[in-house]
């Protein structure tokens, strides 16, 4: 791993460098701005809008992604996350508003931007007609890298993706997790300044998810800027320094995961399950115990800063739930509060 | 590695300078189409027997129709009144037809798979590559493949004494032109297809072109109305072009045939590039 670590650090420091300017020293500290007037945002969106014919996919959103940050788009299906990602990836024209990626306009400098991005799409689009190694090779060639450089990087990346023993295997028989790791490795072949991950762990089993999180966490440690979309709350909490919650093309909230939980939920949640059909009746007797009470078809949620204390109060009222769960508030609570509980599609 | 050594050398240089700063060397100044060829080379170097199979199709036709039917027919009278051995008459048409078939197959079935199922182009467009690189690269690949078949077939024709003029050497670039015209239009058509059923339409177009483009008999056997119709067939222009070269019957008409095929290829390429943008960069 050391070589990748080193490479990625350099990439990070090189992020502000204009590739056309030669002879710049390679040991610039990330904090040293070469071009003072340039902001440190790798991505800057103002009023970013995307229409597909009449359908509004993204409805005028503002956000900034800073260098070295892991930034998340969290939202239900159809919230506009992938459309936003494709616009950042310079493969989908912006309908209205402004978008700057790495200080450039995707409409003008698409290929220049893409040269410095790593993209991991929602659907694996590995080249099925090529082997694992060949996928890395040809992808590097698309970036104009020489075979020597690619071979060197491919060896490291296969190790990083734990696919060394599958180097010459065709892509098709690989497991979902392996394909995903290969797609990530492929996205790193050009040592990108910015890695875009669209629902990186959707459809993977828990082991594969945790392995992937570990790999992404390592990249983050190395200073690679990550933009991740997900609808998994635990993933967002694990990986993102900062995130926006999207709903119906808009940004519903923005902040660090813990901040959002503090702002939109309570510290803890007490879940009470009563016999079927009696949730509402029982909830009515719990007035005043929690900051907020929510009645679901199968249970009652009490939002409180001290779940154990609330539990004691519940017992004092004389109610004995069938089961009780006392837990920390999660991003899921925030998410459901902001985007609602009804099914999206 | 396929591709020209000069370009590779330049890339090496650039990437080593940039590698010091660890900024990827962007392929900004063209050369993208060559990468597309490299990709196809990687795929086909493992399944090369598929490529060889394409060589046999026109040879089989030549032996069955050219030699078999030729023995019954004897000589045919061509436009300028000359008598020509039937085998020598039909062989250039088979060459033109196989250039068409190869280009159409490569640019429809193979492209459709990569476009709709393999998502190969989506992945490629996440890199500095452009839709134009894909269109040019894929068409060039299909031409390269056609070139191999055409060369082999022309050698067989020469060995059998079916090339009656030194102009016959121009049959080779002529097959490339036919390949270009059909590959470009085939690929353009593919971008409009939604399912494998749509390929029945391809056969519905290609088969009559093959049979009715003055392939097996001179245009003069038709009544006037069918002669005019035949002249609308792109393969007719390809057949006339190659036949004129191998028989040495040059005329001013050749420029018309060439113009027709160039225009067809140009329009096809343009539509392909635009459609890929619409499909992949939305």
């Amino acid at each position: 791993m050391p070589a990748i670590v080193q490479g990625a650090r350099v990439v990070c420091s090189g992020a502000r460098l204009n590739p056309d300017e030669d002879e710049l020293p390679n040991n610039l500290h990330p904090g040293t701005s070469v071009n003072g007037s340039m902001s440190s945002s790798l991505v800057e969106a103002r009023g970013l809008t995307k229409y597909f014919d009449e359908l509004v996919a993204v409805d005028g959103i503002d956000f900034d992604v800073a260098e070295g940050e892991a930034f998340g788009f969290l939202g239900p299906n159809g919230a506009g996350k992938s459309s936003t990602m494709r616009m950042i990836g310079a493969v989908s024209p912006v309908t209205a508003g402004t978008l700057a990626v790495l200080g450039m306009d995707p409409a003008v400098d698409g290929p220049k931007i893409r040269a410095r991005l790593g993209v991991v799409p929602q659907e694996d689009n590995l080249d099925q007609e090529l082997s694992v190694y060949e996928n890395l090779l040809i992808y590097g060639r698309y970036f104009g890298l020489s075979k020597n450089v690619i071979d060197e990087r491919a060896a490291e990346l296969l190790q990083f993706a734990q696919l060394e023993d599958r180097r010459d295997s065709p892509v098709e028989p690989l497991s979902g997790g392996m394909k995903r790791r290969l797609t990530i490795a492929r996205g790193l072949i050009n040592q990108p300044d910015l890695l875009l991950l669209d629902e990186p762990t959707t459809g993977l089993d828990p082991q594969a998810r945790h392995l992937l999180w570990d790999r992404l966490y390592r990249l983050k440690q190395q200073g690679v800027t990550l933009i991740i979309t997900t609808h998994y709350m635990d993933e967002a909490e694990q990986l993102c320094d900062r995130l926006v919650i999207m709903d119906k093309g808009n940004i519903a909230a923005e902040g660090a995961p813990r901040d959002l939980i503090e702002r939109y939920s309570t510290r803890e949640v007490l879940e009470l399950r009563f016999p079927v059909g009696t949730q509402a009746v029982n909830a009515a007797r719990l007035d005043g115990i929690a900051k907020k009470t929510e009645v679901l078809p199968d249970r009652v949620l009490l939002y409180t800063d001290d779940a154990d204390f609330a539990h004691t109060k519940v017992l004092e009222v004389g109610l004995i739930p069938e089961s009780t769960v006392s837990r920390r508030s999660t991003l899921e609570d925030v998410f459901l509060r902001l985007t609602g509980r009804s099914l999206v599609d | 590695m396929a591709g020209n050594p000069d370009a590779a050398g330049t890339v090496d240089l650039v990437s080593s300078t940039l590698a010091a700063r660890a900024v990827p060397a962007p392929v900004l100044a063209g050369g993208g189409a060559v990468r597309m060829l490299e990709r196809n080379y990687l795929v086909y170097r493992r399944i090369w027997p598929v490529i060889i199979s394409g060589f046999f199709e026109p040879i089989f036709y030549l032996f069955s129709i050219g030699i078999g039917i030729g023995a019954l027919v004897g000589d045919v009278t061509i436009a300028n009144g000359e008598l020509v051995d039937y085998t020598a008459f039909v062989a250039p048409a088979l060459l033109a037809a196989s250039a068409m078939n190869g280009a159409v197959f490569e640019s429809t079935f193979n492209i459709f798979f990569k476009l709709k199922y393999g998502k190969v182009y989506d992945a490629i467009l996440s890199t500095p590559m452009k839709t134009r690189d894909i269109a040019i690269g894929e068409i060039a690949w299909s031409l390269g493949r056609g070139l191999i078949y055409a060369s082999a077939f022309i050698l067989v024709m020469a060995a059998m004494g079916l090339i009656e003029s030194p102009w016959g050497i121009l049959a080779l670039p002529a097959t490339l032109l036919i390949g270009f015209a059909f590959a470009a239009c085939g690929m353009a058509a593919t971008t409009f297809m939604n399912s494998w059923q749509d390929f029945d339409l391809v056969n519905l177009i290609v088969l009559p072109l093959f049979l009715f483009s003055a392939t097996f008999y001179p245009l003069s056997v038709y009544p006037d109305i069918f002669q005019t119709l035949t002249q609308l067939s792109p393969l007719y222009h390809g057949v006339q072009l190659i036949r004129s070269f191998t028989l040495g019957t040059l005329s001013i008409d050749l420029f018309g045939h060439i113009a027709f095929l160039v225009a067809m290829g140009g329009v096809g390429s343009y539509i392909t590039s635009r459609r890929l943008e619409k499909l992949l960069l939305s």
Side-chain angles (χ1 to χ4, degrees), chain B:
Chain B
M1 199 84 282
N4 90 53
D6 274 341
T10 319
V11 167
D12 268 345
L13 198 70
V14 172
S15 65
S16 58
T17 334
L18 290 175
R21 309 192 332 239
V23 172
V27 202
L28 302 177
V34 177
R35 317 267 182 259
M36 199 67 237
L37 294 179
E38 283 182 39
R39 186 255 168 211
N40 290 342
Y41 166 76
L42 283 181
V43 172
Y44 277 92
R45 70 176 174 176
R46 207 176 300 129
I47 51 170
W48 55 269
V50 174
I51 293 219
I52 291 187
S53 68
F55 161 74
F56 292 102
E57 184 201 294
I59 301 287
F60 289 157
Y61 274 113
L62 183 64
F63 284 128
S64 78
I65 293 172
I67 298 175
I69 310 279
L72 301 175
V73 176
D75 292 343
V76 285
T77 314
I78 56 172
N80 63 2
E82 272 181 54
L83 273 182
V84 179
D85 169 59
Y86 183 74
T87 316
F89 173 81
V90 86
L94 293 173
L95 177 58
S98 82
M100 171 186 78
N101 283 332
V104 167
F105 184 83
E106 182 78 30
S107 66
T108 54
F109 289 91
N110 288 350
I111 299 291
F112 187 73
F113 174 79
K114 287 193 249 188
L115 190 62
K116 302 273 165 150
Y117 292 90
K119 303 274 174 199
V120 175
Y121 303 136
D122 293 81
I124 291 177
L125 288 174
S126 303
T127 74
M129 299 267 288
K130 307 185 215 34
T131 49
R132 204 189 51 195
D133 299 327
I134 295 175
I136 296 175
E138 291 289 29
I139 290 170
W141 174 261
S142 145
L143 291 189
R145 213 173 142 169
L147 186 69
I148 298 172
Y149 301 148
S151 308
F153 191 80
I154 288 171
L155 286 178
V156 171
M157 278 175 71
M160 292 171 67
L162 299 173
I163 296 180
E164 310 200 331
S165 155
W167 288 103
I169 191 72
L170 290 180
L172 196 58
T175 59
L176 278 187
L177 181 58
I178 296 167
F180 168 61
F182 280 97
C185 286
M187 207 166 153
T190 304
T191 63
F192 290 95
M193 294 187 191
N194 294 313
S195 73
W196 293 106
Q197 275 74 42
D198 294 339
F199 286 96
D200 291 343
L201 279 177
V202 175
N203 293 329
L204 200 64
I205 293 169
V206 169
L207 187 63
L209 288 186
F210 176 54
L211 294 174
F212 301 115
S213 295
T215 327
F216 301 105
Y217 32 78
L219 192 57
S220 55
V221 302
Y222 284 133
D224 284 353
I225 171 88
F226 286 115
Q227 288 196 20
T228 314
L229 270 179
T230 303
Q231 282 167 11
L232 293 176
S233 154
L235 182 61
Y236 165 78
H237 297 280
V239 167
Q240 292 307 98
L241 194 59
I242 295 186
R243 189 173 278 153
S244 304
F245 288 140
T246 60
L247 297 180
T249 54
L250 305 188
S251 79
I252 194 83
D253 292 350
L254 289 187
F255 293 103
H257 301 315
I258 291 170
F260 187 102
L261 294 169
V262 168
M264 184 177 155
V267 170
S269 307
Y270 176 77
I271 295 176
T272 300
S273 200
R274 291 295 301 271
R275 283 286 302 168
L276 284 181
E277 237 161 79
K278 195 167 150 54
L279 286 178
L280 299 170
L281 303 177
S282 62

Side-chain angles (χ1 to χ4, degrees), chain A residues 270-274 278-295 299-302 310-321:
Chain A
L270 183 66
E271 299 196 3
L272 307 171
R273 196 180 293 269
F274 294 106
T278 65
Q279 315 295 338
V281 184
N282 287 307
R285 297 177 55 192
L286 298 171
D287 254 7
I289 291 181
K291 286 187 175 167
K292 187 177 165 248
T293 306
E294 188 178 8
V295 182
R299 66 215 141 106
V300 176
L301 303 189
L302 299 182
H311 191 205
T312 324
K313 302 284 263 183
V314 170
L315 297 176
E316 277 174 17
V317 174
L319 284 179
I320 304 181

Side-chain angles (χ1 to χ4, degrees), chain A residues 7 10-11 14 17-24 26 50 52 86 90-93 111-112 114-117 119 123 125-131 134 137-139 141-147 149 153 186 190-191, chain B residues 1-2 8 11-12 15-28 32 34-36 38-40 42-47 113-114 117-120 122-130 279-282:
Chain A
V10 180
V11 164
L17 301 183
N18 180 344
D20 298 333
E21 292 167 15
D22 246 333
E23 308 305 330
L24 283 165
N26 64 1
K50 179 73 190 181
F52 291 106
R86 282 177 55 81
V91 290
S92 172
K112 267 191 186 169
R114 296 199 298 265
R116 292 164 63 193
L117 296 184
V119 177
E123 258 178 85
N125 57 14
L126 295 163
D127 201 321
Q128 305 283 336
E129 295 178 275
L130 298 174
S131 72
E134 286 169 341
L137 172 64
I138 197 61
Y139 216 67
R141 293 295 294 152
Y142 295 146
F143 284 95
L145 302 172
S146 75
K147 191 170 180 297
V149 169
R153 291 183 190 174
R186 188 184 70 171
N190 60 326
Q191 298 188 332
Chain B
M1 199 84 282
V11 167
D12 268 345
S15 65
S16 58
T17 334
L18 290 175
R21 309 192 332 239
V23 172
V27 202
L28 302 177
V34 177
R35 317 267 182 259
M36 199 67 237
E38 283 182 39
R39 186 255 168 211
N40 290 342
L42 283 181
V43 172
Y44 277 92
R45 70 176 174 176
R46 207 176 300 129
I47 51 170
F113 174 79
K114 287 193 249 188
Y117 292 90
K119 303 274 174 199
V120 175
D122 293 81
I124 291 177
L125 288 174
S126 303
T127 74
M129 299 267 288
K130 307 185 215 34
L279 286 178
L280 299 170
L281 303 177
S282 62

